[in-house]
Amino acid sequence: MDTKIGSIDYCKPTNGDVGSPPNGSVSTIHNSVPSSPITVNSCDATIGRYLARRLVQAGVTDIFSVPGDFNLTLLDHLMAEPELNLIGCCNELNAGYAADGYARSRGVGACVVTFTVGGLSVLNAIAGAYSENLPLICIVGGPNSNDYGTNRILHHTIGLPDFSQELRCFQTVTCYQAVVNNLEDAHEQIDTAISTALKESKPAYISISCNLAAIPHHTFSRAPVPFSLAPRLSNKMGLEAAVEATLEFLNKAVKPVMVGGPKLRVAKACDVFVELADASGYAMAAMPSAKGLVPEHHPHFIGTYWGAVSTPFCSEIVESADAYIFAGPIFNDYSSVGYSLLLKKEKAIIVHPDRVTVANGPTFGCVQMSDFFRELAKRVKRNETAYENYHRIFVPEGKPLKCESKEPLRVNTMFQHIQKMLSSETAVIAETGDSWFNCQKLKLPRGCGYEFQMQYGSIGWSVGATLGYAQASPEKRVLAFIGDGSFQVTAQDISTMLRNRQKTIIFLINNGGYTIEVEIHDGPYNVIKNWNYTGLVDAIHNGEGNCWTTKVRYEEELVEAIKTATVEKKDCLCFIEVLLHKDDTSKELLEWGSRVSAANSRPPNPQ
């Protein structure tokens, strides 16, 4: 029987906003009005204004949109809300990616598009948010309410009188779908959609008929009643049983470790995870998809556990442990490096947001991760053996060879300089590709943000996500690392960054193609047409807004470009095109690519 964890699938620190409460607290939607009913001005008593107010109460102050004839009146009423800023994007896919990036910072995001042509365009981004457990409200301007149930054929559809195609597509990638084609229950549907998205930490879909957005209705004549999301509670007996079984297992272990996973975010358990690390003394690592959720300044942090491509000495400590706690893991083919992790289920305690499995044995349901770690921290026996082993074997990494004058820049040299840019006032966005591996090796100082899309891995995600994250966190300077192939997918919304006067620094990695695909399986389809990337951004800039671009080929040019971007052009959008050799990749990508390729090319099982 195969007992490797890496061969099976198992069924951030936040800022205190409503959609993303402090870890372990209850999500609560607070209304700014007194508890006594207040009458809303009749011209404001519309479904559009009601939706806008509810979004603001949930924590959304910016909404990403693309206009279309079915949503134009709705956009008018969303714009009329003084606390809601409408941001027009170049296409629906980027609007969805922007809402994704916004939700990573604020705890909830929103986008609004038109029916079917807009809805199906944004669908890929919504699926990505679903896979990454992000609460995102996708709003669609729908057909006139009078057209439902008729045999009429509408534009923006596939030419059938059945209008449900878009809804059916969204059903698999959202936790709730509200089709609002009458006003009587509109407020209830909207409230349920938003609250379900926040509670489940998944996207929700709201379609509003185009002829309803501006009609006053008595259900919207009073300010909405404040409501709270009921906290998820642990079963006390189940919690106690899970803690007892875990303590019995851990206290027998000689060198236990703990590893944070990506579902720490949805469980709102980042802080209590650290509490357990403090109490237990265990060595603490993070899965690659949890980078940014586990504090790297913690004294017992030993790096990223990613199997064969882990940070130095981390996998040796984790895989040699006789007990390991995995908090909210996702063991897919990417995070397990082609199902090659050297882990055993009988040594593992797998803690999901709502259940705990101990040593390939009993599973305890209705146990909240935050409650479990909090109780465990009170009673666990301190054991620093694994960290002491790590400290004994650790050898600091060597520095890459310094580039000679006018010697082509190397990627490992580049990221030595990037490391020096990081602070509590920066955030890193890493695009799918070699940036995953190079950024994974960055050591994040306290307060430095970090985001990437590992589960879904959609190339082009980072352009929209950078737009959304920067809009949600204007106090941070976002550093985005985007490959040339990915940039060609979604480049247009550099325009939206400029319109909104964002000050992001984009490092465009120009190495001539889809490098991550090359290392999995090479072919001529991985080579792309080279663009004049700085020329493109200059054309988009067109003299409007603050923008500075440059190309770098050598180390000295990179140093000068970073200095200019962080000093003289600190209030500009800075676009730095870095020209690298097509075969200049991280060693981790080479190893990872070969193992993922082997997993992809496994022959069919005998029939």
Side-chain angles (χ1 to χ4, degrees):
M1 178 179 177
D2 190 354
T3 60
K4 278 188 175 181
I5 287 180
S7 66
I8 64 170
D9 284 325
Y10 279 97
C11 293
K12 217 140 236 208
T14 55
N15 61 5
D17 285 338
V18 170
S20 181
N23 290 302
S25 69
V26 180
S27 298
T28 306
I29 296 184
H30 297 289
N31 199 337
S32 58
V33 300
S35 56
S36 57
I38 289 182
T39 301
V40 173
N41 189 305
S42 61
C43 64
D44 295 337
T46 64
I47 189 172
R49 291 301 302 274
Y50 181 85
L51 174 60
R53 289 192 294 269
R54 275 314 207 193
L55 289 173
V56 170
Q57 289 167 5
V60 174
T61 56
D62 303 272
I63 186 168
F64 302 92
S65 68
V66 177
D69 60 328
F70 284 126
N71 71 11
L72 298 177
T73 304
L74 177 61
L75 294 180
D76 289 337
H77 286 257
L78 293 175
M79 289 177 63
E81 169 56 49
E83 296 182 61
L84 190 63
N85 180 33
L86 193 71
I87 297 179
C89 296
C90 297
N91 60 58
E92 291 88 357
L93 179 60
N94 275 339
Y97 286 154
D100 172 311
Y102 193 92
R104 290 167 184 268
S105 176
R106 288 286 184 90
V108 60
C111 60
V112 55
V113 299
T114 196
F115 186 59
T116 307
V117 290
L120 298 190
S121 291
V122 79
L123 190 66
N124 187 50
I126 303 304
Y130 188 94
S131 74
E132 301 276 328
N133 298 295
L134 297 171
L136 192 161
I137 315 302
C138 181
I139 303 156
V140 174
N144 188 293
S145 61
N146 298 305
D147 290 327
Y148 283 92
T150 70
N151 285 321
R152 292 171 179 154
I153 295 176
L154 295 181
H155 68 289
H156 288 345
T157 69
I158 59 172
L160 299 176
D162 178 6
F163 306 152
S164 65
Q165 182 199 23
E166 179 186 83
L167 172 63
R168 294 198 306 272
C169 291
F170 274 94
Q171 283 173 338
T172 58
V173 294
T174 55
C175 63
Y176 189 86
Q177 306 83 39
V179 178
V180 180
N181 52 24
N182 73 82
L183 293 173
E184 295 298 329
D185 64 349
H187 63 290
E188 182 179 351
Q189 289 210 65
I190 289 170
D191 285 357
T192 304
I194 294 175
S195 61
T196 304
L198 293 174
K199 187 174 182 179
E200 301 295 329
S201 200
K202 295 284 189 183
Y205 165 86
I206 302 174
S207 173
I208 298 177
S209 290
C210 60
N211 60 324
L212 301 184
I215 301 175
H217 192 265
H218 66 89
T219 55
F220 310 125
S221 62
R222 295 185 183 275
V225 176
F227 65 94
S228 299
L229 301 181
R232 294 179 182 270
L233 302 175
S234 297
N235 178 288
K236 289 185 178 180
M237 294 180 64
L239 174 62
E240 179 61 23
V243 171
E244 287 288 347
T246 301
L247 287 171
E248 181 182 1
F249 180 73
L250 289 177
N251 290 339
K252 292 178 182 176
V254 177
K255 44 186 179 179
V257 300
M258 51 195 295
V259 184
K263 291 187 178 180
L264 279 169
R265 189 204 304 264
V266 66
K268 298 179 175 61
C270 296
D271 290 347
V272 289
F273 182 75
V274 175
E275 284 179 27
L276 177 59
D278 291 337
S280 66
Y282 296 171
M284 179 176 69
M287 296 183 74
S289 47
K291 189 174 180 71
L293 301 177
V294 177
E296 299 184 14
H297 58 272
H298 192 278
H300 280 195
F301 182 74
I302 64 172
T304 298
Y305 175 64
W306 200 353
V309 295
S310 299
T311 50
F313 308 103
C314 182
S315 65
E316 291 84 352
I317 294 299
V318 172
E319 293 177 347
S320 67
D322 53 352
Y324 15 77
I325 300 173
F326 276 88
I330 296 178
F331 293 112
N332 62 23
D333 50 341
Y334 275 15
S335 66
S336 68
V337 197
Y339 308 114
S340 65
L341 301 182
L342 301 179
L343 300 174
K344 298 294 183 181
K345 289 188 285 187
E346 57 266 24
K347 295 182 180 181
I349 298 167
I350 306 297
V351 187
H352 286 289
D354 59 357
R355 67 187 188 279
V356 178
T357 300
V358 179
N360 200 26
T363 294
F364 303 90
C366 297
V367 175
Q368 298 302 305
M369 184 189 291
S370 55
D371 294 338
F372 175 74
F373 284 150
R374 190 173 291 110
E375 290 301 313
L376 201 60
K378 295 175 183 177
R379 297 153 62 178
V380 70
K381 185 169 70 176
R382 192 169 181 84
N383 186 337
E384 300 187 15
T385 304
Y387 180 74
E388 290 168 354
N389 289 345
Y390 171 79
H391 189 69
R392 273 190 288 270
I393 68 173
F394 179 76
V395 178
E397 282 190 85
K399 292 186 177 181
L401 296 173
K402 183 173 176 59
C403 293
E404 300 296 330
S405 179
K406 300 300 180 181
E407 179 186 353
L409 181 63
R410 295 189 301 270
V411 70
N412 54 12
T413 302
M414 171 186 169
F415 276 88
Q416 291 288 316
H417 294 285
I418 299 302
Q419 179 66 61
K420 299 171 187 175
M421 300 177 69
L422 303 185
S423 73
S424 61
E425 298 178 348
T426 59
V428 174
I429 304 289
E431 175 60 87
T432 302
D434 199 25
S435 292
W436 274 5
F437 301 90
N438 289 309
C439 291
Q440 196 68 223
K441 291 184 283 186
L442 295 171
K443 294 177 175 59
L444 302 182
R446 185 192 302 266
C448 181
Y450 188 94
E451 297 294 344
F452 78 131
Q453 192 195 50
M454 186 169 191
Q455 173 59 37
Y456 202 57
S458 182
I459 67 168
W461 162 86
S462 64
V463 176
T466 295
L467 164 64
Y469 192 100
Q471 192 66 29
S473 301
E475 73 282 1
K476 287 188 181 291
R477 191 91 188 263
V478 177
L479 312 179
F481 298 89
I482 309 175
D484 49 353
S486 296
F487 186 72
Q488 288 193 9
V489 178
T490 51
Q492 307 96 306
D493 271 282
I494 292 286
S495 172
T496 311
M497 297 179 194
L498 286 168
R499 288 179 67 186
N500 289 276
R501 307 188 71 81
Q502 294 183 357
K503 55 184 180 180
T504 296
I505 303 176
I506 295 175
F507 290 89
L508 188 285
I509 314 299
N510 185 349
N511 52 13
Y514 301 120
T515 303
I516 190 170
E517 313 291 2
V518 168
E519 303 308 332
I520 296 174
H521 183 95
D522 200 6
Y525 32 76
N526 289 323
V527 179
I528 62 174
K529 170 72 174 67
N530 190 39
W531 290 2
N532 179 357
Y533 293 98
T534 54
L536 173 66
V537 173
D538 287 336
I540 293 172
H541 174 214
N542 197 27
E544 299 176 8
N546 294 324
C547 183
W548 177 74
T549 66
T550 189
K551 293 180 190 285
V552 300
R553 298 173 178 83
Y554 314 115
E555 183 178 12
E556 53 266 38
E557 291 181 344
L558 176 66
V559 171
E560 187 61 32
I562 290 174
K563 181 180 177 182
T564 300
T566 54
V567 180
E568 181 185 345
K569 302 294 184 181
K570 61 183 176 63
D571 294 321
C572 288
L573 177 74
C574 297
F575 185 89
I576 301 173
E577 180 182 348
V578 183
L579 288 93
L580 297 171
H581 191 278
K582 66 181 182 66
D583 294 324
D584 185 6
T585 68
S586 63
K587 69 181 183 65
E588 290 81 7
L589 174 57
L590 298 176
E591 174 74 22
W592 179 90
S594 62
R595 289 175 182 258
V596 170
S597 176
N600 287 351
S601 57
R602 288 167 294 163
N605 292 328
Q607 299 299 313

